[in-house]
Amino acid sequence: MDELLLRSLTPSVLAVLVRRGADFAAAEDAVQDALVEAVRVWPGDAPRDPKGWLVTVAWRRFLDATRADASRRRREDRLDEEPAPGPAPAVDDTLQLYFLCAHPSLTPSSAVALTLRAVGGLTTRQIARAYLVPEATMAQRISRAKRTVSGVRFDRPGDVSTVLRVLYLVFNEGYSGDVDLAAEAIRLTRQLAAAINHPEVAGLLALMLLHHARRASRTGPGGSLVPLAEQDRGRWDTGMIAEGVGILQAALARDRLGEFQAQAAVAALHADAPTAEETDWVQIVEWYDELAGLTDSPVVRLNRAVAVGEADGPRAGLAELAALSDSLPRHTAVAAYLHERAGDLPTAARLYAEAAHKAPTLAERDHLTRQAARLNANLR
């Protein structure tokens, strides 16, 4: 069973059902039923046209559910006939579906959460982690969003900023290694950039390209995490970096700064440095100042504390860190790094061990555990 094939086909099949008149929640349920049926049937009898098979089965499940629900009998008269078996049109509906999910009846945060779950394929836990909220809270938010759009006709697409937020979070999840969605997010953002002349769309595409250019160097043998300062810069994709920088420069020239352009500027400064020691941390701090003014994000301020620690010394970084909540993800890891830079190795070793217990991924946990072990060995 090709799970990647099923994942790639899900948005397009869902879009077909929505276009044919299915409300979003019912369409999602029908597609999930079709996927379960595919897992059962395909290993012994794989279809020649997987998408057409899924559309047909999902549409039948939707019709069955609709007919069984008396409160929706009035809509049955408006439903199209069941599509005939056979190849489905080779149309990429994913980006359109992103806009449809960003419905005006939803708040931006709810629209993002719903799209990540239904179209991006992320789990509730992954979405909650991206939003820095408990998993139960995110589950309730997604359920409320589904109820809100249940029965709504998707004829008023959402705005670009909500779609950009979704693409950004999908890319970040793919880049973390939990789900390989980064390349798909870049593909969709390229489509959006080709269709819309918007500086923040260009900024997001530049940011994705600059980060993705370093992907090959981010992990070592066995999947171990390699920090930015220790990465082999000879493995960075210089063509992708050049493309990202060119897109960013054109966007910045329009003088309509947004958060994705500012983040891309930070990434470009890292990419431009021949070595970690030659990184222009002073400029990076300045860009984080811009970014903090645009977003007031605690995560941005955490990253800024690291940059201040590199530009002005670890004590200055620790002073910035002291003003932030220690409940922030990776706060303890940043504290450990800055204490090590400041020469306080016992405190750094203890904090690295604490951070390992809080790490969101196995790769981070193993990396932080190794850091703690390295310092403890030096203290003996």
Side-chain angles (χ1 to χ4, degrees):
M1 172 55 59
D2 192 338
E3 294 183 6
L4 289 177
L5 174 62
L6 286 177
R7 181 186 293 277
S8 67
L9 290 175
T10 298
S12 188
V13 175
L14 184 56
V16 170
L17 268 64
V18 169
R19 284 204 310 270
R20 289 182 175 274
D23 69 75
F24 189 87
E28 185 187 18
D29 289 342
V31 172
Q32 291 302 318
D33 287 344
L35 294 177
V36 171
E37 186 70 5
V39 171
R40 185 182 71 83
V41 172
W42 286 10
D45 186 19
R48 284 178 295 180
D49 176 26
K51 179 180 174 181
W53 189 98
L54 287 171
V55 168
T56 299
V57 173
W59 187 251
R60 285 173 177 164
R61 295 300 172 90
F62 169 71
L63 288 177
D64 290 344
T66 301
R67 293 185 180 114
D69 188 348
S71 67
R72 297 182 182 178
R73 290 189 183 277
R74 287 178 296 178
R75 183 185 300 178
E76 287 186 341
D77 295 335
R78 301 195 301 270
L79 293 175
D80 295 334
E81 294 182 357
E82 177 184 340
V91 177
D92 185 354
D93 302 296
T94 309
L95 190 58
Q96 178 192 17
L97 195 56
Y98 271 61
F99 273 95
L100 293 177
C101 287
H103 197 272
S105 64
L106 295 173
T107 64
S109 60
S110 294
V112 171
L114 178 62
T115 314
L116 289 172
R117 183 72 185 91
V119 188
L122 273 64
T123 66
T124 303
R125 175 174 297 180
Q126 290 167 328
I127 301 168
R129 190 174 67 205
Y131 271 91
L132 309 180
V133 299
E135 184 176 352
T137 300
M138 183 53 64
Q140 292 175 355
R141 184 179 299 177
I142 293 172
S143 295
R144 284 196 301 270
K146 288 182 178 180
R147 288 196 298 269
T148 299
V149 299
S150 180
V152 170
R153 294 288 297 186
F154 285 81
D155 54 359
R156 292 184 299 152
D159 64 8
V160 174
S161 61
T162 300
V163 174
L164 289 179
R165 178 62 50 188
V166 175
L167 290 168
Y168 175 63
L169 292 175
V170 169
F171 175 81
N172 279 346
E173 198 57 52
Y175 193 59
S176 74
D178 284 349
V179 184
D180 191 10
L181 295 171
E184 172 69 357
I186 292 174
R187 184 183 71 83
L188 292 174
T189 307
R190 282 190 187 279
Q191 287 187 7
L192 188 58
I196 300 176
N197 186 17
H198 191 296
E200 272 294 82
V201 176
L204 178 58
L205 179 57
L207 176 63
M208 289 178 174
L209 292 172
L210 290 164
H211 278 306
H212 207 60
R214 303 199 303 258
R215 188 167 191 176
S217 64
R218 292 184 69 247
T219 55
S224 59
L225 187 66
V226 180
L228 176 61
E230 300 172 19
Q231 290 176 14
D232 179 1
R233 298 182 180 224
R235 300 184 64 195
W236 290 1
D237 188 328
T238 55
M240 194 175 293
I241 290 172
E243 182 186 3
V245 169
I247 292 171
L248 173 62
Q249 289 174 338
L252 291 175
R254 299 178 64 177
D255 198 23
R256 289 169 54 193
L257 183 64
E259 62 173 299
F260 294 122
Q261 295 169 72
Q263 287 191 55
V266 172
L269 287 167
H270 283 298
D272 186 55
T275 65
E277 293 74 21
E278 295 174 85
T279 303
D280 191 342
W281 287 105
V282 173
Q283 272 205 69
I284 289 177
V285 171
E286 292 173 355
W287 276 112
Y288 274 126
D289 287 338
E290 295 278 3
L291 194 54
L294 290 166
T295 67
D296 197 30
S297 164
V299 175
V300 168
R301 296 190 181 280
L302 183 67
N303 290 333
R304 182 183 180 280
V306 176
V308 169
E310 299 289 354
D312 300 329
R315 295 296 177 189
L318 287 168
E320 295 287 337
L321 191 64
L324 302 174
S325 170
D326 59 8
S327 65
L328 278 172
R330 299 183 175 87
H331 183 285
T332 307
V334 170
Y337 173 74
L338 291 173
H339 276 288
E340 180 183 359
R341 291 273 326 279
D344 187 352
L345 301 189
T347 299
R350 174 178 58 79
L351 290 172
Y352 275 130
E354 288 182 17
H357 289 293
K358 303 175 183 177
T361 67
L362 180 61
E364 282 189 59
R365 186 194 69 187
D366 291 347
H367 170 72
L368 293 167
T369 300
R370 286 193 297 272
Q371 296 295 87
R374 172 180 58 81
L375 292 186
N376 283 325
N378 291 336
L379 291 171
R380 295 194 185 111

